[in-house]
Amino acid sequence: MSERSHILAAGDIAFAYSPDEKVLNDVDFAADAGRLICILGPNGSGKTTLLRCLLGQLKVDSGSVLLDSSPLKSYSPRRLARMMAYVPQFPTSAFAFVVREIVLLGRYAHTGVMGLAGEEDHAVADEAMKMTETLAFARRTLAELSGGEAQRVMIARALAQQPKVLLLDEPTSHLDVKNQLAIYRMMVRLAHDWPMAVVCVGHDINLAGRFADEIVLMRNGRVIAQGRPGEVIRTDLLKDTYDVEVELIDTGGNVPMVVAH
Ligand code: ADP
């Protein structure tokens, strides 16, 4: 795998929280603009840890993480925030802030020394809120929103950074099926139309199979497979990943539906 040509590439990375227990091992990963990549795997397989290494929140013990062909560690926090944005699994404690203020927080890497939001910052925030359909409640606080609406606000905040890479940790985990679909469709639009590289950790194999351009399967801190859904959604690979028997059902789409037993 050539690491140079990808917007984000991890080569042979290893990471341990404590010296005797490696959480990531020999992990190769690549993301390109214009693609939605879903990382799947059982709980504890290292998905969040991988995201945090890709973000530079955790420093890898060995291997490399290259963002736009430069090592992650060569980026200042400000430059990094203009390139890569993160939507964490649990919304921040910004409940008391109104939506517009939260989205404007995403402008911190772009605003001037005084950190005051100018006309352009408000215009970018408006665009991010339009994209995520959150403009209608721009004056409400996060505490006054449903889970799906709050998640879209967190995505709007990330978009206000105008990143080239967007990483999301289980963005649909507490959402009903309609909101899950809305988030997946939004991720596809962002990946294909913006375009940016969108990397999402998830648990729904069927949603990932339907919407992702690529799927990464992880188990025990290793990447078992990365490829197009049709290449990765296979009974043997899914059994290796999740340790369950799976059945693939042809529903007439590009990718079969997965039923686990
Ligand atoms: P996933 O996102 O796939 O559920 P994680 O990356 O959260 O997996 O966790 C992978 C492993 O690392 C688990 O065994 C977990 O207990 C451990 N782990 C996660 N975060 C920490 C931490 N802050 N300190 C120590 N161990 C951690």
Side-chain angles (χ1 to χ4, degrees), residues 17 23 42-49:
Y17 290 101
V23 171
N43 296 124
S45 55
K47 303 180 298 296
T48 298
T49 304

Side-chain angles (χ1 to χ4, degrees), residues 67-83:
L67 178 62
D68 204 11
S69 303
S70 297
L72 214 50
K73 51 182 179 289
S74 70
Y75 284 80
S76 67
R78 202 179 163 91
R79 208 171 134 237
L80 191 60
R82 291 177 183 208
M83 283 292 286

Side-chain angles (χ1 to χ4, degrees), residues 10-11 13-16 24 53-54 58-65 73:
I13 59 171
F15 176 81
L24 296 180
C53 287
L54 295 174
L58 298 173
K59 200 172 148 300
V60 295
D61 297 325
S62 58
S64 64
V65 182
K73 51 182 179 289

Side-chain angles (χ1 to χ4, degrees), residues 18 33 41 54 124 128 130 162 186 200 211:
S18 57
L54 295 174
V124 172
K130 267 187 216 152
Q162 297 180 297
M186 189 184 300
C200 141
F211 290 106

Side-chain angles (χ1 to χ4, degrees), residues 10 23 42 75 80 88 131 133 142 170 174 182 202 214 233 245:
V23 171
Y75 284 80
L80 191 60
M131 177 71 192
E133 296 178 16
L142 205 58
E170 295 191 31
H174 302 293
E214 279 174 56
I233 297 198
E245 296 297 335

